[in-house]
Every structure is written in structure tokens, then in C-alpha cells.
Amino acid sequence: MKQSEIHYRYTDDGITVSKAKKFSLSFPGARSARHSGDYIIVTNSLGQNIYVDKFGMKHFS
């Protein structure tokens, strides 16, 4: 199984989603994050899911 190109990490004020040498997106106050296929799903402080694809585009559900 291929390892995902995008990663997330928990910071003091939320979650940061990044791809090496390409992009870095901050989500202040986010509750959680998880991998789902080629996406990372970030749950913000309001409980909404935000999908981040491998190009750094946000998709709201």
C-alpha cells in the first residue's frame, strides 16, 4: 500500500495539513484529522468535515 503524500500534525492551536515543499494549511481550533484514501479529513470546531486533497484544495461537506 502506497503511503499518502500529504500529512497532518497537531499543533498548540489546531491542526496543520501539509505536503513537503508544496503547501501547508492551518486549521486553528480543529478537533481532529484522519486519512481517508487520497484525502485528509479535518473536523473543525463546529463539527464540519473539510476534505483536503493531494493538491491542497479544500472541499467542504
Side-chain angles (χ1 to χ4, degrees):
M1 183 174 185
K2 182 181 158 190
Q3 185 177 7
S4 178
E5 297 176 351
I6 55 178
H7 306 281
Y8 65 90
R9 69 178 179 272
Y10 289 91
T11 60
D12 290 337
D13 63 341
I15 296 173
T16 301
V17 177
S18 62
K19 182 176 179 180
K21 300 181 184 177
K22 298 291 182 183
F23 66 85
S24 179
L25 302 171
S26 294
F27 295 92
R31 292 182 185 172
S32 64
R34 64 186 185 276
H35 284 276
S36 177
D38 289 336
Y39 293 93
I40 289 184
I41 303 170
V42 178
T43 304
N44 67 9
S45 60
L46 300 175
Q48 299 170 328
N49 290 329
I50 303 168
Y51 294 78
V52 180
D53 66 14
K54 63 183 178 179
F55 300 110
M57 301 294 292
K58 297 177 191 176
H59 304 276
F60 298 91
S61 62

